[in-house]
Amino acid sequence: MFEFHFSPVIISLLGFLVLSILYLLIGFRSYVVSVARRVRTDAAKVFPEDEKYYPSVSVIVYAEDDAPNLEILLPQILDQDYPAHFEVIVVNDGGIPSTSDVIARLEQRYSNLYMTFTPLESRSLSRKKLALTLGIKAARFDTVMMVMGNSQIPSRRWLMAMCRNFTPGTDIVIGYAAPAAPQGTRESWKRLHAFDSVRTAVEYLSWGIAGRPYRGICYNLAYRKDVFFNNKGFSKALDLKYGDDDVFVNEVANGSNTAIELSPDSMVLAVESNPSAAFKAEKIRYDYTARRLSKSARIFFSSCSWAWWIMILSGIGASLAAMPSIIPAIISVVLILITMIVLMLSWKRTSSSLWSRPLLLTFPWFMSYHPFYTLYYILKGLGKRRDNKSWS
């Protein structure tokens, strides 16, 4: 049982096992940990006190029948502790009367709140691109901050946290939005969806931290107006109904002009009445528009999923090939368990930093299942490609 003779097959399988473990611990873990590390670093930064360090800002709020949440969101923005001038422009997509009513009431309290709207006749176009373009053109200030109408902003220093990054040479600031549900929603966020959301966030945030930004989301994104107009706005993605923020950031962002801000003060909540349905729709949309983005991050993280499976299968193969000896099985189990525990702890720290479920014990299962889960959504999205086109 404890006698063991090396054979070329066993040596090869153990070699694959060790290489896949190194790939996961040195590669995958380093990117996961970089996000949690940036959260701690940004949280420890001291806010400059002098007003000159903060640009005047136009906050663009895209609202699509979000009147109930706007009652919460707009005071959260308008009551920000921000030392410089700022305005809030709500773009009422479709001119929804309930949204107009909310704005009319709040305009009596806030002189820096404004509204514009997109007409219903634009329904065949990408309404969101048109709405954001109208909002940016209406902005009085040279820095614009993008927020969605179903957001909520817990911190009164959100605007300070995001805009303190606009130092000379910085044109784009990418923030983070955590998925959430209204209070009282039962089983609001499935564990698998939470895992996938954090994994997606780790992909684009860690790549940006490493100096290769390629994605940002309109729930929490800021940039200078001249960057938008010099790029001719969203002109290169007019054929897409969704993905305007992703494609735009991919076109204009680079390691020298982009900052990542991950302090807890900078984070917002993306509130969905039905988080599971919203997650599924967004995943199909992103899998479609991702072909327009830099592929390096997706290739790397996909390779990490397969490295995970190579680790497991190599361990099983080496154990079976060495039977009746159990030495390779013991070696494989110990190495795999150590790897899993290290990655579980790293993931727990990062997911907690991103306001998500820690998923400590379920991490190995989700890591194993994820490549097949992703493939399912890719195949499911093949039949819905026309839904992602502005003109069908």
Side-chain angles (χ1 to χ4, degrees):
M1 179 181 295
F2 292 100
E3 294 182 359
F4 174 56
H5 300 286
F6 284 100
S7 70
V9 172
I10 295 174
I11 292 173
S12 297
L13 290 171
L14 290 176
F16 282 123
L17 173 66
V18 172
L19 288 175
S20 60
I21 287 174
L22 292 175
Y23 193 80
L24 289 168
L25 292 181
I26 297 175
F28 179 73
R29 180 180 176 273
S30 65
Y31 282 101
V32 172
V33 170
S34 71
V35 176
R37 186 182 300 120
R38 174 55 73 88
V39 173
R40 293 195 302 272
T41 300
D42 287 350
K45 289 181 180 178
V46 178
F47 287 93
E49 295 182 1
D50 198 321
E51 180 181 330
K52 68 179 183 181
Y53 292 103
Y54 300 96
S56 297
V57 183
S58 295
V59 181
I60 312 296
V61 180
Y62 171 75
E64 186 181 17
D65 198 13
D66 295 308
N69 193 67
L70 289 175
E71 296 269 16
I72 302 171
L73 171 64
L74 292 178
Q76 289 176 336
I77 300 175
L78 291 158
D79 291 332
Q80 286 285 302
D81 293 330
Y82 193 68
H85 296 291
F86 74 97
E87 64 178 357
V88 178
I89 301 173
V90 178
V91 186
N92 183 4
D93 187 8
I96 305 298
S98 58
T99 297
S100 300
D101 293 341
V102 172
I103 305 304
R105 287 197 300 271
L106 291 174
E107 281 179 331
Q108 299 176 23
R109 292 169 50 193
Y110 301 99
S111 60
N112 56 339
L113 174 62
Y114 308 94
M115 185 186 73
T116 185
F117 68 94
T118 57
L120 286 171
E121 290 75 15
S122 65
R123 292 284 166 175
S124 62
L125 304 173
S126 173
R127 305 191 313 274
K128 185 180 172 186
K129 291 186 184 67
L130 175 59
L132 293 177
T133 301
L134 290 174
I136 293 171
K137 287 184 175 180
R140 291 192 298 130
F141 301 123
D142 294 331
T143 301
V144 292
M145 183 83 219
M146 300 297 163
V147 186
M148 297 292 286
N150 62 320
S151 305
Q152 289 185 13
I153 302 173
S155 175
R156 288 172 61 96
R157 299 197 296 180
W158 161 72
L159 205 52
M160 289 177 63
M162 289 295 290
C163 294
R164 67 182 174 180
N165 293 279
F166 280 106
T167 55
T170 300
D171 298 322
I172 305 161
V173 180
I174 297 172
Y176 170 70
Q183 290 186 351
T185 303
R186 191 174 181 182
E187 294 296 330
S188 59
W189 195 244
K190 292 184 178 179
R191 295 179 186 274
L192 178 57
H193 293 172
F195 172 84
D196 188 78
S197 295
V198 171
R199 184 184 170 108
T200 300
V202 166
E203 284 186 18
Y204 77 85
L205 292 173
S206 66
W207 229 243
I209 292 169
R212 291 166 288 180
Y214 71 94
R215 189 186 183 200
I217 55 175
C218 275
Y219 279 95
N220 202 6
L221 178 66
Y223 45 84
R224 300 187 193 275
K225 284 175 62 176
D226 58 355
V227 171
F228 180 81
F229 290 117
N230 290 341
N231 191 65
K232 297 182 180 179
F234 303 119
S235 61
K236 297 178 184 178
L238 288 179
D239 60 319
L240 296 177
K241 187 179 294 185
Y242 309 103
D244 39 89
D245 39 10
D246 293 340
V247 176
F248 173 72
V249 171
N250 186 71
E251 291 168 354
V252 301
N254 57 59
S256 60
N257 74 347
T258 303
I260 308 296
E261 174 62 50
L262 290 181
S263 65
D265 281 320
S266 73
M267 296 183 185
V268 306
L269 298 173
V271 182
E272 296 287 356
S273 57
N274 189 338
S276 294
F279 168 83
K280 293 173 184 178
E282 178 60 28
K283 188 164 180 65
I284 290 174
R285 293 169 185 171
Y286 177 60
D287 285 336
Y288 180 80
T289 58
R291 67 192 64 191
R292 301 281 185 95
L293 310 181
S294 172
K295 296 179 175 57
S296 56
R298 298 194 89 196
I299 291 173
F300 171 76
F301 282 95
S302 294
S303 71
C304 291
S305 294
W306 296 115
W308 177 272
W309 270 103
I310 291 172
M311 174 186 71
I312 294 173
L313 294 177
S314 297
I316 295 173
S319 301
L320 294 176
M323 295 296 290
S325 174
I326 63 171
I327 298 297
I330 294 173
I331 294 173
S332 298
V333 169
V334 169
L335 290 177
I336 291 173
L337 281 178
I338 291 173
T339 303
M340 286 186 175
I341 291 171
V342 171
L343 293 179
M344 286 163 62
L345 293 174
S346 299
W347 188 267
K348 177 180 181 294
R349 186 160 51 249
T350 296
S351 59
S352 297
S353 298
L354 295 179
W355 297 355
S356 184
R357 292 186 176 188
L359 302 177
L360 179 65
L361 298 178
T362 51
F363 170 80
W365 160 247
F366 291 143
M367 192 71 178
S368 303
Y369 180 62
H370 191 264
F372 308 102
Y373 177 75
T374 301
L375 179 61
Y376 165 77
Y377 272 100
I378 292 175
L379 295 176
K380 188 175 181 179
L382 292 177
K384 298 187 177 183
R385 289 186 173 182
R386 290 175 62 88
D387 295 341
N388 289 293
K389 290 287 187 180
S390 292
W391 294 274
S392 51

